[in-house]
């Protein structure tokens, strides 16, 4: 999967910082550090499905982020948080 750009919604940026203590830089680091992508569910619009990207930040934080992959190659960020222990184990095994 090739992501050509990110679409950030202000309410999502605020939620990531407030609830999950994740900032935009960390999301970008995950996406540029060979993340593992996983299909989550079909989207409401044809061809725009929800995916997860699992990866590590430069500081060694393991994050999972959820996004809608748009037809034009951009991603709408929906959420990002620390991986659970099960997600991290699966990430490290792949």
């Amino acid at each position: 999967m090739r992501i050509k750009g990110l679409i950030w919604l202000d309410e999502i940026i605020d939620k990531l910082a407030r609830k999950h203590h994740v900032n935009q830089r960390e999301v970008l680091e995950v996406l540029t550090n060979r993340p593992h992508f996983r299909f989550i569910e079909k989207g409401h619009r044809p061809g725009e499905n929800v995916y997860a990207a699992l990866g590590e930040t430069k500081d060694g934080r393991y994050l999972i982020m959820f996004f809608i992959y748009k037809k034009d190659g951009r991603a709408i960020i929906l959420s990002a948080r620390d991986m659970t222990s099960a997600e991290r184990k699966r990430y490290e095994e792949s």
Side-chain angles (χ1 to χ4, degrees), residues 75-94:
I76 300 174
I77 306 303
L78 301 174
S79 189
R81 60 169 171 75
D82 290 302
M83 288 183 207
T84 64
S85 57
E87 290 165 339
R88 184 168 172 179
K89 182 178 179 183
R90 184 174 171 191
Y91 168 75
E92 290 176 338
E93 289 174 350
S94 56

Side-chain angles (χ1 to χ4, degrees), residues 1-25:
M1 176 174 291
R2 187 177 193 91
I3 296 177
K4 297 179 182 177
L6 301 178
I7 300 170
W8 291 98
L9 304 174
D10 290 337
E11 60 268 19
I12 298 298
I13 295 169
D14 294 341
K15 179 186 102 172
L16 296 181
R18 184 182 69 258
K19 186 175 179 183
H20 301 296
H21 308 288
V22 175
N23 62 50
Q24 290 174 280
R25 176 188 51 81

Side-chain angles (χ1 to χ4, degrees), residues 3 6 27-35 37 53 65 67 77:
I3 296 177
L6 301 178
V27 170
L28 288 170
E29 288 176 3
V30 166
L31 289 173
T32 58
N33 193 20
R34 296 183 316 236
F37 293 105
M65 53 167 290
F67 62 95
I77 306 303

